[in-house]
Amino acid sequence: MAGLATGYPMPQARGGNPDTSTLYDINGLAKDAPGWLDHTMEFIGEYGIVLGLAVLMVLAWWSLRRRQDAPAAVAALLWAPLAAGLALLVNIPIRGFVKRPRPFVDHTGLEVLVKGKTDYSFVSDHATLTMAIGVALFVANRKYGLIGIGLAFLEGFCRVYMGVHYPTDVVGGLALGTAVALLLAPLAMMVLTPLTRAVARTRFARLVRAERAVAGPPLVAAEASAAAGTAEADRGVPRHRDNDLAA
């Protein structure tokens, strides 16, 4: 089986810390799993979920550009990768300040599925990135957003399963990604919505609007930002319709 699994008996290594105890409980699943499953979890946790989110964003773009308020919806979608990148930048000083070593540095008996991790552990970059994308997708569309958030939670589980993060590293990453994506969404929409509407008036309009748009509920987050720069009355969108979109 892949990984490093040497050291003291498990109960002695766990101690009384719930964070460490949960780490051993989840990572212990890797010890009992067949090698093919560990390799699968390694791929999913390192690359698979990030690739899955990229595919999800393409599907969301294809769907949202067919809506009546397509430029605003696509603007919200553009915020997803930007939020992820910004959240990772915010994490740089956090990791440098906390300086928490990877769990396998301080604890023995772990099944480490990915070797060569020498950077600090808190907070998890993978959890931060995936949750920022998931929450930003939720701002654009609830259906795609819920899928994205579910993938982010799966990413967090994989990081602990692989023995490269503590559970609190993952929780911190999920919280950081959520905070960046939600708190900065109104400002991002104020900047991105006029940009996508300008593109909709050019020969590249199909990037933000399908040839035949279909009626759909408006983007609530886009409405909030549009109120700062563009009158809703010009679009004829009722303010109370938010059936399938996130606030």
Side-chain angles (χ1 to χ4, degrees), residues 143-197:
K143 179 180 70 174
Y144 292 108
L146 288 175
I147 296 173
I149 290 172
L151 289 175
F153 278 107
L154 178 59
E155 178 68 57
F157 176 83
C158 288
R159 304 308 289 177
V160 180
Y161 180 97
M162 293 157 59
V164 296
H165 279 294
Y166 293 94
T168 47
D169 298 336
V170 168
V171 172
L174 298 177
L176 177 59
T178 299
V180 170
L182 281 184
L183 295 179
L184 298 181
L187 178 61
M189 293 300 298
M190 289 177 61
V191 174
L192 294 174
T193 301
L195 176 62
T196 53
R197 286 187 175 143

Side-chain angles (χ1 to χ4, degrees), residues 5-246:
T6 60
Y8 301 108
M10 187 71 69
Q12 183 178 355
R14 289 187 183 193
N17 188 332
D19 193 24
T20 304
S21 179
T22 304
L23 165 68
Y24 277 107
D25 286 339
I26 296 177
N27 180 254
L29 300 174
K31 287 179 173 291
D32 301 328
W36 65 265
L37 180 57
D38 281 352
H39 289 306
T40 301
M41 292 292 286
E42 176 186 347
F43 174 79
I44 292 174
E46 281 289 290
Y47 313 106
I49 291 177
V50 175
L51 293 174
L53 284 170
V55 172
L56 187 64
M57 288 184 59
V58 171
L59 294 175
W61 167 76
W62 187 260
S63 173
L64 295 178
R65 60 192 283 273
R66 298 175 57 84
R67 291 164 41 92
Q68 246 181 0
D69 59 341
V74 172
L77 185 62
L78 286 176
W79 170 232
L82 296 177
L86 185 58
L88 291 178
L89 289 176
V90 172
N91 191 27
I92 292 175
I94 294 176
R95 297 184 85 162
F97 176 77
V98 177
K99 295 183 178 179
R100 186 184 201 182
R102 296 278 181 170
F104 53 78
V105 174
D106 293 333
H107 301 282
T108 57
L110 292 172
E111 186 78 5
V112 184
L113 302 186
V114 180
K115 299 179 182 180
K117 298 286 185 181
T118 58
D119 54 342
Y120 293 120
S121 188
F122 186 90
V123 299
S124 167
D125 274 339
H126 280 74
T128 300
L129 179 147
T130 53
M131 183 56 87
I133 291 177
V135 171
L137 273 173
F138 189 82
V139 172
N141 181 272
R142 284 178 179 167
K143 179 180 70 174
Y144 292 108
L146 288 175
I147 296 173
I149 290 172
L151 289 175
F153 278 107
L154 178 59
E155 178 68 57
F157 176 83
C158 288
R159 304 308 289 177
V160 180
Y161 180 97
M162 293 157 59
V164 296
H165 279 294
Y166 293 94
T168 47
D169 298 336
V170 168
V171 172
L174 298 177
L176 177 59
T178 299
V180 170
L182 281 184
L183 295 179
L184 298 181
L187 178 61
M189 293 300 298
M190 289 177 61
V191 174
L192 294 174
T193 301
L195 176 62
T196 53
R197 286 187 175 143
V199 172
R201 295 190 292 269
T202 70
R203 60 179 177 176
F204 302 106
R206 290 189 179 182
L207 291 175
V208 297
R209 187 194 297 277
E211 191 171 345
R212 292 184 179 181
V214 296
L219 182 70
V220 175
E223 288 181 354
S225 63
T230 305
E232 286 186 349
D234 294 339
R235 297 192 292 138
V237 179
R239 293 178 61 86
H240 66 279
R241 296 171 59 197
D242 59 352
N243 299 341
D244 189 41
L245 299 178

